[in-house]
């Protein structure tokens, strides 16, 4: 059995054409089914639905053989393993679910003045590792506040001066009178594979990886 970990939403939807290229079709709609394990047209392949931030953990510890996760999630996961190393192969940038990690503030906030050398800034984010490294490189001291959702509220309520969050179109920021002031990095989703599974189930996993690679970069 080959188990693929996916999260609901954009990554799931944009992975479907790649699965189709590998001859795999998910037989149930995750938005309509209550099941967390979905069958496919291939009896030896199944999809498990997990929270986006948990995909690398499921794959690393063998709850899934492979998975699709955002590069942002992967970076945070690897930072949590500082010193210990992550047991994940990362064979492919799938070039799907593209977005960026950016800094945003209230439209009336003087960000340029706030990030002068030696300044201290309150930053709300769920990307604590990414934010810490980014501001440290700028010589800015930050008090990091970890949030898991509704990030835009933090500057509006005075909880934080700035947020570090994923931005796609920027419409949500505009709707909440926030502005994007710095782009930290561009993000896309990656295929990750469990190291032990890559050895024990090499042939079936290699076929999936190769099919994904051909779909991402057509010959």
């Amino acid at each position: 059995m080959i188990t693929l970990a996916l999260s609901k939403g954009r990554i799931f939807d944009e992975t479907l054409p790649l699965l189709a290229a590998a001859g795999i079709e998910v037989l149930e709609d995750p938005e309509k089914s209550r099941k967390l394990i979905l069958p496919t047209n291939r009896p030896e392949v199944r999809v498990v639905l997990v929270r986006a931030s948990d995909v690398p953990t499921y794959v690393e510890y063998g709850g899934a053989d492979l998975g699709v996760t955002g590069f942002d999630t992967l970076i945070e996961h690897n930072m949590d393993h500082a010193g210990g190393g992550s047991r994940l192969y990362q064979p492919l940038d799938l070039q799907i679910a593209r977005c960026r990690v950016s800094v945003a503030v209230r439209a009336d906030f003087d960000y340029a003045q706030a990030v002068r050398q030696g300044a201290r800034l309150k930053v709300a984010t769920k990307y604590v590792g990414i934010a810490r490294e980014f501001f440290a490189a700028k010589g800015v001291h930050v008090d990091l506040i970890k949030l898991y959702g509704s990030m835009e509220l933090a500057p509006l309520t005075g909880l934080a001066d700035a947020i570090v969050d994923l931005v796609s179109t920027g419409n949500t920021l505009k709707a909440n009178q926030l502005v994007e002031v710095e782009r930290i990095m561009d993000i896309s989703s990656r295929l990750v594979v469990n190291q032990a599974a890559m050895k024990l189930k090499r042939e079936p996993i290699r076929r999936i990886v190769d099919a994904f690679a051909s779909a991402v970069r057509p010959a």
Side-chain angles (χ1 to χ4, degrees):
M1 176 66 72
I2 300 293
T3 301
L4 171 68
L6 294 175
S7 54
K8 289 184 181 181
R10 187 178 174 192
I11 287 180
F12 184 95
D13 294 340
E14 294 189 24
T15 301
L16 289 180
L18 300 177
L19 286 171
I24 300 168
E25 179 186 350
V26 182
L27 298 180
E28 297 190 31
D29 183 343
E31 300 300 334
K32 296 177 181 176
S33 173
R34 295 194 175 204
K35 293 179 183 177
L36 297 176
I37 300 178
L38 303 181
T40 74
N41 62 323
R42 300 255 297 273
E44 77 281 10
V45 180
R46 64 180 182 173
V47 170
V48 294
L49 298 174
V50 301
R51 183 173 176 167
S53 57
D54 290 337
V55 169
T57 302
Y58 268 81
V59 175
E60 178 171 357
Y61 292 101
D65 299 304
L66 63 170
V68 178
T69 185
F71 189 49
D72 51 317
T73 302
L74 202 51
I75 290 173
E76 288 291 322
H77 177 81
N78 290 339
M79 285 180 176
D80 287 342
H81 286 67
S86 174
R87 297 184 293 275
L88 288 173
Y89 284 124
Q90 303 170 35
L92 279 178
D93 178 354
L94 299 175
Q95 301 175 31
I96 61 172
R98 290 178 177 274
C99 52
R100 57 194 179 273
V101 179
S102 291
V103 183
V105 299
R106 291 191 324 271
D108 61 353
F109 183 77
D110 189 347
Y111 179 75
Q113 173 67 15
V115 296
R116 69 191 187 283
Q117 286 290 106
R120 181 170 287 275
L121 203 64
K122 286 192 297 180
V123 178
T125 185
K126 69 176 179 179
Y127 303 110
V128 173
I130 292 173
R132 182 183 292 116
E133 287 203 347
F134 176 73
F135 285 108
K138 293 170 69 70
V140 178
H141 302 290
V142 288
D143 296 316
L144 294 170
I145 303 166
K146 186 154 190 175
L147 294 179
Y148 293 93
S150 302
M151 214 65 64
E152 295 82 11
L153 273 176
L156 302 179
T157 59
L159 178 67
D161 302 311
I163 61 174
V164 170
D165 201 13
L166 289 183
V167 178
S168 182
T169 64
N171 290 337
T172 303
L173 294 178
K174 291 175 185 174
N176 288 283
Q177 290 79 53
L178 301 181
V179 292
E180 185 178 358
V181 287
E182 287 204 85
R183 178 187 296 225
I184 297 177
M185 65 178 66
D186 291 323
I187 296 295
S188 56
S189 289
R190 310 297 171 99
L191 181 67
V192 291
V193 184
N194 176 274
Q195 286 190 4
M198 193 69 187
K199 294 173 184 175
L200 297 172
K201 306 177 183 180
R202 185 171 185 83
E203 288 309 313
I205 287 179
R206 176 52 61 188
R207 284 195 292 271
I208 293 173
V209 172
D210 288 348
F212 276 25
S214 295
V216 172
R217 295 185 294 272

